[in-house]
C-alpha cells in the first residue's frame, strides 16, 4: 500500500519533470529564434542563461551550443517520459515483465547518450571559454554510473522474468 | 522435451474428464491443460501426489522419459 502510494507520488513528480524540461528546451529554442534577429535576447535565454559573448563571437558556434543545450534538455525530458511509462507499466503483483525490462534498458541507454552529449557540450564550451575568456555554463556529467546501475537492474529484471514465468508454469 | 506427460492416456483409462480431475485435485482447468499439453516447466510433488491418488496410479504412469 505504501509502495503504491510512493509510486503515484513519483509518477506525479515525473510528469512535473517531463513538462518542466519540455518548457525549458522549448523556451531556449524560442529565445534562440528571437536572438537571430536581435542579439540582446541571447543575454537571457532562459533563467539567466547568458550566451551573449558566444553570439557576438560566432553565430555558428552559438547555434551549436544552443543545439547541445536543447538536445540535453530534450533527452532529459525523454528520460522523464520513459520513467512515467515505467511507472505506468509497473505492476506490483507481477513486477517482472518484458515492458519493464525494455523501458529500463531504454532509460539506461538514454542516460548514456545524455552523458556523451554532456561531455561533447562541456568540451566545446570549455574550449571556447578558455580561449576567449568567456563565461562557462557547463552541464553536470556525473551520471554515467547511473546508466550502468540501471542497465544492471534491467538484466536483473530479465532474470526475474525467467523465474516468474517458470513459477507460473509450475503446476 | 524429454519428459512426456501421459495424463491424457491415464484419464482415458480411468474414464475421468479433465474438468473433474481438476476439481478433485483442486487446480484450475487451465493449469491442468498446461500440464497435459507439456507446456509446464515443473510439477509440484503435492500436485503429482494428488493426481496419483485421484487416478490410483504411479508417477511413472503419468511421466515418461524419452531420449531425444
Amino acid at each position: 500500500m505504501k509502495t503504491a502510494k510512493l509510486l503515484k507520488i513519483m509518477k506525479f513528480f515525473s510528469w512535473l519533470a517531463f513538462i518542466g524540461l519540455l518548457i525549458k528546451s522549448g523556451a531556449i529554442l524560442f529565445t534562440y529564434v528571437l536572438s537571430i534577429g536581435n542579439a540582446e535576447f541571447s543575454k537571457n535565454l532562459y533563467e539567466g542563461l547568458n550566451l551573449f559573448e558566444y553570439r557576438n563571437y560566432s553565430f555558428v558556434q552559438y547555434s551549436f551550443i544552443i543545439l547541445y543545450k536543447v538536445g540535453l534538455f530534450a533527452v532529459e525530458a525523454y528520460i522523464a517520459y520513459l520513467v512515467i511509462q515505467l511507472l505506468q507499466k509497473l505492476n506490483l503483483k507481477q513486477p517482472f515483465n518484458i515492458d519493464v525490462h525494455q523501458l529500463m534498458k531504454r532509460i539506461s541507454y538514454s542516460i548514456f547518450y545524455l552523458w556523451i552529449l554532456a561531455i561533447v557540450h562541456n568540451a566545446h564550451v570549455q574550449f571556447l571559454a578558455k580561449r576567449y575568456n568567456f563565461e562557462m555554463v557547463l552541464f553536470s556529467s556525473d551520471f554515467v554510473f547511473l546508466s550502468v546501475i540501471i542497465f544492471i537492474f534491467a538484466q536483473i529484471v530479465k532474470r526475474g522474468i525467467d523465474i516468474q514465468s517458470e513459477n507460473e508454469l509450475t503446476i | 522435451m524429454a519428459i512426456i506427460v501421459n495424463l491424457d492416456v491415464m484419464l482415458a483409462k480411468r474414464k475421468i474428464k479433465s474438468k473433474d480431475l481438476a476439481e478433485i485435485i483442486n487446480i484450475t482447468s487451465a493449469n491442468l491443460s498446461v500440464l497435459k499439453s507439456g507446456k509446464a516447466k515443473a510439477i509440484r510433488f503435492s500436485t503429482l501426489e494428488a493426481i496419483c491418488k485421484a487416478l490410483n496410479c504411479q508417477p511413472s504412469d503419468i511421466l515418461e522419459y524419452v531420449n531425444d
Side-chain angles (χ1 to χ4, degrees), chain A residues 162 165-171, chain B residues 31 34 40-44 47:
Chain A
D162 291 343
S165 70
E166 211 169 276
N167 192 37
E168 278 166 5
L169 287 171
T170 299
I171 311 295
Chain B
N31 273 345
V34 169
K41 290 207 174 182
I43 180 165
R44 290 189 188 91
T47 310

Side-chain angles (χ1 to χ4, degrees), chain B residues 28-43:
Chain B
T28 62
S29 297
N31 273 345
L32 191 66
S33 171
V34 169
L35 187 60
K36 269 168 49 181
S37 62
K39 284 179 190 164
K41 290 207 174 182
I43 180 165

Side-chain angles (χ1 to χ4, degrees), chain A residues 102-116:
Chain A
Q102 294 290 347
L103 281 166
M104 283 180 89
K105 241 169 63 174
R106 251 197 272 173
I107 290 170
S108 157
Y109 291 150
S110 303
I111 294 173
F112 185 70
Y113 298 143
L114 184 72
W115 177 70
I116 291 173

Side-chain angles (χ1 to χ4, degrees), chain A residues 55-95:
Chain A
R55 169 77 173 84
N56 275 350
Y57 162 66
S58 159
F59 182 74
V60 176
Q61 300 287 351
Y62 167 70
S63 300
F64 259 113
I65 291 166
I66 292 288
L67 194 74
Y68 291 138
K69 287 196 189 294
V70 171
L72 284 165
F73 293 125
V75 174
E76 275 191 345
Y78 177 64
I79 293 167
Y81 174 74
L82 290 178
V83 172
I84 294 166
Q85 291 283 308
L86 181 71
L87 291 169
Q88 267 170 352
K89 297 259 164 78
L90 198 66
N91 177 4
L92 288 176
K93 281 177 188 162
Q94 284 184 321

Side-chain angles (χ1 to χ4, degrees), chain A residues 37-59:
Chain A
N38 184 355
E40 285 296 308
F41 280 104
S42 59
K43 278 184 179 171
N44 188 4
L45 284 157
Y46 180 79
E47 286 191 338
L49 178 66
N50 184 357
L51 295 179
F52 185 68
E53 290 165 322
Y54 296 89
R55 169 77 173 84
N56 275 350
Y57 162 66
S58 159
F59 182 74

Side-chain angles (χ1 to χ4, degrees), chain A residues 112-128:
Chain A
F112 185 70
Y113 298 143
L114 184 72
W115 177 70
I116 291 173
L117 199 59
I119 295 276
V120 173
H121 165 265
N122 289 352
H124 195 163
V125 169
Q126 271 174 339
F127 171 75
L128 288 175

